[in-house]
Amino acid sequence: MPTNFTVVPVDDGRKSSQEDSDDNNILKEEDEETIGDGNPRESSPFINNADDEKGTLYDGKNMALFEEEMDSNPMVSSLLNKLANYTNLTQGVREHEEADEDEGAKKKTVKSPQMGTFIGVYLPCLQNILGVILFLRMTWIVGTAGILESFIIVSMCCSCTMLTAISMSAIATNGVVPAGGSYYMISRSLGPEFGGAVGLCFYLGTTFAGAMYILGTIEIFLTYIVPSAAIFKAEEKEQEADALLNNMRVYGTCCLTLMALVVFVGVKYVNKLALVFLACVVLSILAIYAGVIKTIFEPPVFPVCLLGNRTLQNHGFDKCMKTEIIDNVTVTTKLWSLFCKGPELNASCNEYFSLNNVTEIQGIPGLTSGVISENMWGSYGPAGMLVEKAVPSVPASDASQDKLMPYVVNDITAFFTLLVGIYFPSVTGIMAGSNRSGDLRDAQRSIPIGTILAIATTTIIYLSCVVMFGACIEGVLLRDKFGDSVKGNLVIGTLSWPSPWVIVIGSFFSCCGAGLQSLTGAPRLLQAIARDGIVPFLEVFGHGKANGEPTWALLLTAVICESGILIASLDAVAPILSMFFLMCYLFVNLACALQTLLRTPNWRPRFRYYHWTLSFLGMSLCLALMFISSWYYALVAMLIAGCIYKYIEYRGAEKEWGDGIRGLSLNAARYALIRLEEAPPHTKNWRPQLLVLLNLDSELSVKHPRLLSFTTQLKAGKGLTIVGSVLEGTFLGRESDAKRAEQSIKSAMTAEKTKGFCHVVVSSNLRDGFSHLIQSAGLGGMKHNSVLMAWPANWRQSSDPQSWKNFIETVRETTAAHQALLVAKNVDSFPHQERLAEGTIDVWWIVHDGGLLMLLPFLLQQHKVWRKCKMRIFTVAQLDDNSIQMKKDLQMFLYHLRLNAEVEVVEMHDSDISAFTYEKTLVMEQRSQMLKQMQLSRTEREREAQLIHDRNTASHAALNDKPDVSPERVHMTWTKDKFCTERNRNREPSANMAVRDLFSMKPNQSNVRCMHTAIKLNEVVANKSQGAHLVLLNMPGPPKNRGGDENYMEFLEVLMEGLNRVLLVRGGGREVITIYS
């Protein structure tokens, strides 16, 4: 028995623990762990125990004291065991390869990632950073901008990526970063809205990068490898640019289709070829350095032909001379026929050709030639400007024919900011290491070291290339973008050793590989965003083939990439993707700066060499580069990101990722609350901050949802709204009910479009609960100043007098707390979302208690439901008042308040108290006294309340004192038959005397006067405001003597009798409206 007790459960526990660990290995990414709501269960890989473990895992471990908590709180040994076995897999190529190989069979156990810093981070970053711009545009940038300005461009861009890498390293080392790289880091640091917006921008940048690499591939192919393969050929020089663009579109589309098919069929081939592509890049770089060193001893021979100071395209001639002597005969060359109308020596020639001589210079004079001084400064110019050398020449009088001559010209207008946009893509690719975080042996060590070393290496390469190109290559050749002056050779290829073909072939395969990797990475990034569920319309792109390949995402990527290819110009596409990458880097820096400044407890990166000032500098630099490159592209990129942000905010699934924006909101809220508490709000800033008191039915549903609709119409989303309710009982006993009630109220608030907070309190009785809400709802300066509740419509029929007593106590407590009170009668008949036709909102201004009566209609009129309603203000004049002067004064007062309203003064003269008033008052008091004296059981009271018809059901009462009322009063009607029945049942003399006194009692004179006022005022209000959409009345305060509470309810009923929608308003004791600006 002891053996079974000690051995068997432990083995089961280990097995179960191991199985659980294996399960968690498969659940590698957060988007796979989140099934429905998408919220990350960060602790689930560690504490999610299977049901069969319960009761067995912890047996015999001497932990009986804690065994009831072990279902939710595991033992430390179990937690550590699962942590040790947790494997963070990537959603990458490896799983898809295994799925392909093991289709239909059980998936193999994936080994722990073993890639180090060099292979896993450094080389991928190096391969992604060095690319098409270096080979195709770097020489042109140096020639156009000059060495100094090129140095500034490279330094700015590399500084931007270095600062971003420092920020990224801090984020990447602050915990485990699953595969997903930059998108994961940004979304978990800045929240789903920023994450989704920047994630999609990063996706678009990666997609356009694919288009740029494909265009680079086709440019190399058509310009330098097989120029004869061009489909569209230019008959005249003016058509050359259009022909090239059309060729790029056709071949680019074919290339994109081929690459997309390769990615669709098998990503593993792309992954295996990555090493080949990297080798091409490295060999090309080495060939450039070798060529530069060789120029010191033996510069390569690449002559450039100049006519005067103009550079000639060396395509249609082989000798740089006008004439040559063959067998002692002077004959013209092919160059002559390009500028003259015939081969004869006396043929008519171009004026500039006749005036200037032809000279030949070396395109690569060498490192020691001193050409560096000539290339130090820039040479910008418009499209069509001739590429000229700074030597003397004879200008021609007619330059109209120059554009038809075989000169080397600028194909686009060049300026500094354009060059920044074109160059920046050559420093992107720094995220390659973080994207492979799941494959690394120690990601928190490898990502910072590998990424920063790769950026440092490429920065040295770029800066040295700027100097070397400027020091070795002639200026006119540098500005010759397509190498037309050196027989169509790639300019950077002319510098390389042993042959220009090393660079041509190397750059071709490098661009091919980069394009394939873009088409591989972009769909997976889109799939990760889609699976996160934050952008609803992208959900379809989360699906793919059986092995997880993102088929639909690949299709969308190809379509977007095709739009970039149709642009056809590498120089036009580069600034577009620069925008998207810069925006991504900007938010990486923002995330790091935000986390550092907020000092959140979870911000503990292992990478220590960061500071918020560096992140802020990086963010500022990114923003500056965006607008330097292209201000209109920057605005478009921001607009796209802003639209995605707002879409996710309003339509996306709610997430809680512990992001920095939420932390920033909390800090901002705390700061604002502290500032608010420094001084009470000024009258000009006063608006109703509402505490809405709701009643729930037995099923915890909201009884009066129209109260929330009215709140929305009154607030229009501004200010504070707290919706509160009270459950009777103890919190321990009704905790689940409180949560259900809260969800029910939140659902009702959503349905009624009420923005605010929900607060459900469990209390021993309703009165105390509402009292607690009135006292403690809100926080600091964000406390309510007004209470909104519904009128207890059936208070007479209620078997429990506590319902109306609670109402009166709430009125007293709001008054004591100096808070305004709004009581809505017939709230279920208030408008929902339908707009009211033209009508009036009538305000009966009896007493002034702060001006709230006049402010409320104005606030309601701001909402579309009440917008067509006009405001009417009625005030009551007594016998000794000058009603004409009162009206003038009131109109002037409203004019100063800037309120548009009709004014009417109603005269109420003293009149005799009618017999009807005496009768109503007498019946009210008789009923009260009778219930006080008769000792009826609860069952009898309930039966009477149901069976006896009250002749005064529709009558109502007004304000004043009254003798004490029994706490167990129930509404009933007294008749002589009833009296006889009770007299026979109760034969005690004292009781008989008491009942007999009821028929001889006289009504209290104070009550008679209050009833008289209520009846008369009700007659006037009903006469004037019977058709109003809403009637606002001053609410009289409850009597100081609690014995008159029941009479108070009767007075209010009489006051509102015959009116449909009524809002009783009681001010909080302070002015809420002012005539001053």
Side-chain angles (χ1 to χ4, degrees):
M1 193 62 184
T3 304
N4 292 335
F5 180 77
T6 56
V7 176
V8 176
V10 171
D11 291 340
D12 290 344
R14 288 176 180 170
K15 180 180 178 183
S16 180
S17 177
Q18 184 63 43
E19 289 171 358
D20 192 61
S21 175
D22 291 340
D23 291 342
N24 287 315
N25 287 344
I26 296 168
L27 294 175
K28 56 200 175 297
E29 276 197 282
E30 182 187 76
D31 54 8
E32 292 174 322
E33 292 172 11
T34 55
I35 305 302
D37 57 2
N39 289 328
R41 301 194 298 266
E42 294 182 2
S43 58
S44 61
F46 311 132
I47 65 172
N48 185 23
N49 299 310
D51 290 336
D52 57 0
E53 293 181 73
K54 296 178 181 178
T56 62
L57 184 58
Y58 303 108
D59 287 348
K61 294 197 176 180
N62 302 320
M63 289 291 168
L65 187 60
F66 297 96
E67 64 183 6
E68 289 187 359
E69 300 178 5
M70 286 180 178
D71 289 340
S72 58
N73 302 330
M75 284 179 59
V76 173
S77 58
S78 173
L79 176 67
L80 293 176
N81 183 34
K82 292 178 181 180
L83 276 168
N85 288 299
Y86 177 69
T87 303
N88 182 21
L89 302 180
T90 59
Q91 181 193 0
V93 176
R94 191 170 53 197
E95 291 90 322
H96 302 314
E97 287 182 29
E98 290 176 358
D100 286 336
E101 293 167 2
D102 304 337
E103 211 160 39
K106 187 176 179 181
K107 193 171 182 176
K108 299 176 190 174
T109 303
V110 182
K111 295 180 182 178
S112 299
Q114 293 297 323
M115 296 176 73
T117 304
F118 186 75
I119 298 294
V121 180
Y122 181 75
L123 290 181
C125 284
L126 211 62
Q127 180 186 358
N128 278 267
I129 295 172
L130 298 170
V132 61
I133 300 296
L134 171 64
F135 299 123
L136 294 183
R137 293 291 181 270
M138 194 67 181
T139 52
W140 175 72
I141 290 172
V142 173
T144 305
I147 295 174
L148 288 179
E149 290 184 29
S150 299
F151 212 84
I152 292 171
I153 292 173
V154 173
S155 299
M156 278 197 309
C157 295
C158 291
S159 299
C160 175
T161 54
M162 180 62 82
L163 292 169
T164 304
I166 292 171
S167 299
M168 184 194 71
S169 299
I171 299 172
T173 57
N174 186 50
V176 178
V177 178
S182 57
Y183 163 67
Y184 182 93
M185 289 189 294
I186 295 170
S187 62
R188 272 54 175 183
S189 296
L190 293 178
E193 292 87 0
F194 278 112
V198 180
L200 284 173
C201 284
F202 192 49
Y203 162 74
L204 290 172
T206 308
T207 305
F208 275 103
M212 184 187 74
Y213 290 128
I214 291 171
L215 289 173
T217 303
I218 302 305
E219 184 177 311
I220 294 169
F221 180 76
L222 288 178
T223 309
Y224 307 114
I225 299 179
V226 191
S228 59
I231 298 173
F232 300 93
K233 299 185 185 293
E235 295 179 0
E236 296 180 7
K237 187 181 176 185
E238 291 176 334
Q239 300 172 348
E240 285 180 359
D242 292 335
L244 177 63
L245 293 180
N246 288 329
N247 285 318
M248 299 280 275
R249 292 183 180 105
V250 173
Y251 277 97
T253 303
C254 296
C255 185
L256 171 64
T257 307
L258 187 63
M259 286 185 175
L261 284 173
V262 170
V263 173
F264 177 76
V265 171
V267 180
K268 56 185 177 183
Y269 303 116
V270 178
N271 196 48
K272 289 175 181 176
L273 287 170
L275 197 61
V276 177
F277 299 140
L278 176 61
C280 292
V281 173
V282 174
L283 286 174
S284 300
I285 299 293
L286 293 176
I288 293 169
Y289 279 98
V292 169
I293 295 171
K294 186 175 180 292
T295 61
I296 299 173
F297 313 106
E298 186 185 346
V301 179
F302 284 98
V304 175
C305 191
L306 299 179
L307 176 62
N309 64 348
R310 300 176 181 179
T311 312
L312 297 177
Q313 293 183 356
N314 193 354
H315 289 303
F317 61 93
D318 50 357
K319 295 179 181 178
C320 185
M321 54 182 69
K322 294 182 180 180
T323 58
E324 60 179 337
I325 299 174
I326 300 176
D327 298 330
N328 294 325
V329 178
T330 302
V331 295
T332 59
T333 61
K334 290 182 180 180
L335 178 61
W336 179 281
S337 60
L338 293 175
F339 286 88
C340 301
K341 294 182 177 179
E344 301 82 12
L345 288 171
N346 59 354
S348 174
C349 294
N350 178 269
E351 182 185 359
Y352 188 84
F353 181 77
S354 302
L355 294 173
N356 292 275
N357 292 323
V358 175
T359 55
E360 189 175 73
I361 60 172
Q362 280 301 318
I364 314 291
L367 196 62
T368 57
S369 63
V371 74
I372 187 170
S373 58
E374 298 176 13
N375 295 330
M376 196 64 69
W377 310 105
S379 178
Y380 301 105
M385 187 186 83
L386 301 177
V387 175
E388 298 174 336
K389 184 174 172 62
V391 293
S393 67
V394 180
S397 59
D398 182 16
S400 60
Q401 298 298 312
D402 288 349
K403 61 183 179 181
L404 303 177
M405 298 296 107
Y407 296 126
V408 178
V409 297
N410 288 352
D411 63 328
I412 59 172
T413 302
F415 42 91
F416 179 80
T417 57
L418 174 74
L419 299 187
V420 174
I422 292 174
Y423 173 75
F424 189 80
S426 65
V427 297
T428 61
I430 63 172
M431 301 289 185
S434 63
N435 290 344
R436 295 168 176 246
S437 57
D439 297 324
L440 302 173
R441 189 185 306 117
D442 184 1
Q444 297 192 5
R445 179 178 175 274
S446 298
I447 289 175
I449 296 174
T451 305
I452 291 173
L453 279 179
I455 293 173
T457 305
T458 52
T459 301
I460 292 169
I461 290 173
Y462 283 135
L463 291 174
S464 62
C465 282
V466 168
V467 176
M468 289 189 302
F469 294 163
C472 295
I473 305 175
E474 182 62 49
V476 291
L477 181 55
L478 283 173
R479 297 197 296 278
D480 183 4
K481 185 185 288 185
F482 300 107
D484 292 321
S485 60
V486 285
K487 297 186 181 296
N489 275 300
L490 181 62
V491 175
I492 196 173
T494 60
L495 186 61
S496 65
W497 179 86
S499 166
W501 286 100
V502 175
I503 296 286
V504 172
I505 301 301
S507 59
F508 178 78
F509 283 112
S510 170
C511 292
C512 278
L516 281 170
Q517 288 188 339
S518 295
L519 289 178
T520 305
R524 279 167 178 72
L525 180 59
L526 181 62
Q527 188 182 44
I529 298 170
R531 285 185 175 177
D532 258 348
I534 57 175
V535 187
F537 71 82
L538 290 180
E539 287 180 1
V540 65
F541 299 108
H543 308 297
K545 292 196 293 187
N547 64 350
E549 282 292 331
T551 310
W552 292 107
L554 176 61
L555 185 62
L556 179 66
T557 302
V559 170
I560 298 173
C561 196
E562 175 64 17
S563 67
I565 287 171
L566 292 177
I567 295 173
S569 170
L570 188 70
D571 303 318
V573 173
I576 297 175
L577 66 101
S578 294
M579 290 305 113
F580 292 122
F581 278 117
L582 278 166
M583 185 166 287
C584 178
Y585 296 164
L586 183 150
F587 281 103
V588 170
N589 285 298
L590 173 63
C592 181
L594 200 62
Q595 298 276 31
T596 307
L597 288 172
L598 291 176
R599 295 188 179 92
T600 50
N602 191 51
W603 181 245
R604 302 185 300 275
R606 289 193 176 278
F607 180 77
R608 297 294 180 187
Y609 306 101
Y610 71 94
H611 195 267
W612 69 267
T613 52
L614 293 177
S615 300
F616 188 78
L617 180 62
M619 184 175 67
S620 305
L621 194 53
C622 288
L623 191 64
L625 284 174
M626 286 177 69
F627 283 93
I628 286 172
S629 302
S630 174
W631 63 268
Y632 46 89
Y633 278 159
L635 291 177
V636 170
M638 287 180 168
L639 181 65
I640 292 172
C643 291
I644 298 168
Y645 178 94
K646 298 306 290 184
Y647 176 81
I648 296 172
E649 186 178 38
Y650 286 113
R651 296 291 306 276
E654 291 185 3
K655 301 281 182 183
E656 176 46 65
W657 285 335
D659 50 86
I661 292 296
R662 187 172 177 83
L664 181 63
S665 301
L666 288 171
N667 274 272
R670 179 185 62 83
Y671 175 77
L673 286 171
I674 291 172
R675 288 290 304 274
L676 278 174
E677 208 166 15
E678 291 176 359
H682 192 271
T683 302
K684 290 186 289 186
N685 297 327
W686 195 96
R687 66 167 62 244
Q689 317 286 7
L690 287 180
L691 169 63
V692 185
L693 299 181
L694 290 180
N695 290 320
L696 305 177
D697 58 21
S698 57
E699 295 182 354
L700 302 181
S701 298
V702 177
K703 279 187 179 179
H704 303 294
R706 291 293 173 88
L707 206 59
L708 295 174
S709 300
F710 184 69
T711 304
T712 304
Q713 294 155 19
L714 184 62
K715 302 286 291 177
K718 303 293 190 298
L720 174 71
T721 301
I722 302 173
V723 182
S725 188
V726 177
L727 297 181
E728 210 165 356
T730 62
F731 182 70
L732 291 177
R734 304 202 65 182
E735 179 190 2
S736 59
D737 288 344
K739 289 181 179 177
R740 282 176 49 218
E742 193 167 331
Q743 287 302 318
S744 174
I745 293 174
K746 284 180 179 177
S747 300
M749 290 172 69
T750 304
E752 304 296 337
K753 298 181 180 178
T754 304
K755 295 180 180 179
F757 307 100
C758 174
H759 195 183
V760 177
V761 171
V762 181
S763 179
S764 56
N765 58 71
L766 295 178
R767 175 184 164 184
D768 289 346
F770 284 123
S771 177
H772 295 156
L773 281 174
I774 290 170
Q775 293 177 60
S776 61
L779 180 65
M782 283 295 282
K783 288 184 71 69
H784 61 279
N785 55 27
S786 308
V787 176
L788 173 63
M789 59 192 302
W791 171 258
N794 300 319
W795 65 274
R796 283 206 191 99
Q797 285 75 21
S798 174
S799 60
D800 184 8
Q802 203 61 40
S803 61
W804 57 266
K805 289 188 176 182
N806 288 341
F807 172 79
I808 295 176
E809 289 302 318
T810 303
V811 176
R812 286 196 174 99
E813 283 171 356
T814 54
T815 304
H818 302 289
Q819 295 173 2
L821 177 65
L822 312 177
V823 179
K825 182 197 173 188
N826 292 337
V827 70
D828 293 329
S829 69
F830 276 48
H832 182 229
Q833 298 294 335
E834 65 278 5
R835 301 190 184 194
L836 293 173
E838 289 187 3
T840 60
I841 301 175
D842 287 359
V843 177
W844 285 84
W845 192 20
I846 312 299
V847 295
H848 179 66
D849 56 357
L852 184 58
L853 272 171
M854 286 170 285
L855 182 62
L856 291 177
F858 170 76
L859 295 175
L860 283 174
Q861 285 174 324
Q862 308 309 305
H863 196 272
K864 62 180 182 180
V865 171
W866 302 89
R867 191 160 290 150
K868 293 183 179 180
C869 296
K870 294 181 180 178
M871 180 176 163
R872 294 194 302 179
I873 295 183
F874 298 88
T875 189
V876 176
Q878 301 299 325
L879 184 62
D880 54 348
D881 291 329
N882 185 343
S883 57
I884 297 175
Q885 188 61 39
M886 277 182 67
K887 184 172 182 178
K888 288 183 179 179
D889 293 343
L890 183 54
Q891 286 174 334
M892 183 57 66
F893 182 54
L894 291 175
Y895 175 78
H896 287 304
L897 288 176
R898 290 93 63 204
L899 293 176
N900 296 320
E902 296 178 14
V903 175
E904 187 169 340
V905 177
V906 178
E907 296 181 352
M908 285 186 63
H909 302 300
D910 290 341
S911 60
D912 294 333
I913 298 173
S914 65
F916 174 69
T917 304
Y918 272 110
E919 184 186 0
K920 288 193 74 128
T921 311
L922 180 61
V923 169
M924 176 184 73
E925 294 185 354
Q926 281 180 347
R927 185 167 56 240
S928 224
Q929 288 295 329
M930 194 182 339
L931 289 175
K932 191 174 181 181
Q933 294 168 4
M934 301 302 295
Q935 300 291 324
L936 295 177
S937 68
R938 177 171 291 275
T939 55
E940 288 175 316
R941 292 202 306 271
E942 290 174 351
R943 184 168 63 252
E944 287 172 345
Q946 294 170 1
L947 298 177
I948 300 173
H949 174 68
D950 179 20
R951 70 185 177 194
N952 297 313
T953 300
S955 65
H956 314 288
L959 165 70
N960 214 330
D961 295 348
K962 177 193 160 308
D964 290 334
V965 180
S966 166
E968 294 187 339
R969 190 205 71 83
V970 68
H971 172 62
M972 59 174 289
T973 303
W974 191 256
T975 64
K976 288 188 177 181
D977 293 338
K978 177 68 184 168
F979 168 66
C980 295
T981 305
E982 290 300 327
R983 184 177 57 185
N984 293 334
R985 220 168 49 78
N986 191 345
R987 299 190 181 276
E988 293 182 16
S990 60
N992 290 339
M993 289 297 296
V995 173
R996 188 160 52 247
D997 289 343
L998 290 174
F999 293 96
S1000 60
M1001 67 183 293
K1002 292 184 178 181
N1004 183 290
Q1005 287 303 309
S1006 175
N1007 288 343
V1008 171
R1009 285 187 295 104
C1010 288
M1011 184 66 78
H1012 174 71
T1013 304
I1015 290 173
K1016 286 296 179 184
L1017 191 56
N1018 175 257
E1019 286 176 359
V1020 175
V1021 174
N1023 180 40
K1024 296 285 187 180
S1025 303
Q1026 187 68 47
H1029 286 313
L1030 181 64
V1031 177
L1032 281 77
L1033 284 168
N1034 278 119
M1035 182 180 185
K1040 296 178 181 178
N1041 180 7
R1042 297 178 188 272
D1045 284 357
E1046 185 180 1
N1047 295 343
Y1048 174 70
M1049 295 294 289
E1050 289 283 358
F1051 296 148
L1052 292 180
E1053 281 282 10
V1054 171
L1055 187 63
M1056 297 184 290
E1057 185 176 5
L1059 300 174
N1060 183 21
R1061 300 179 187 134
V1062 181
L1063 188 66
L1064 293 176
V1065 180
R1066 184 163 174 76
R1070 62 162 294 171
E1071 292 292 332
V1072 300
I1073 194 166
T1074 178
I1075 64 173
Y1076 300 106
S1077 62

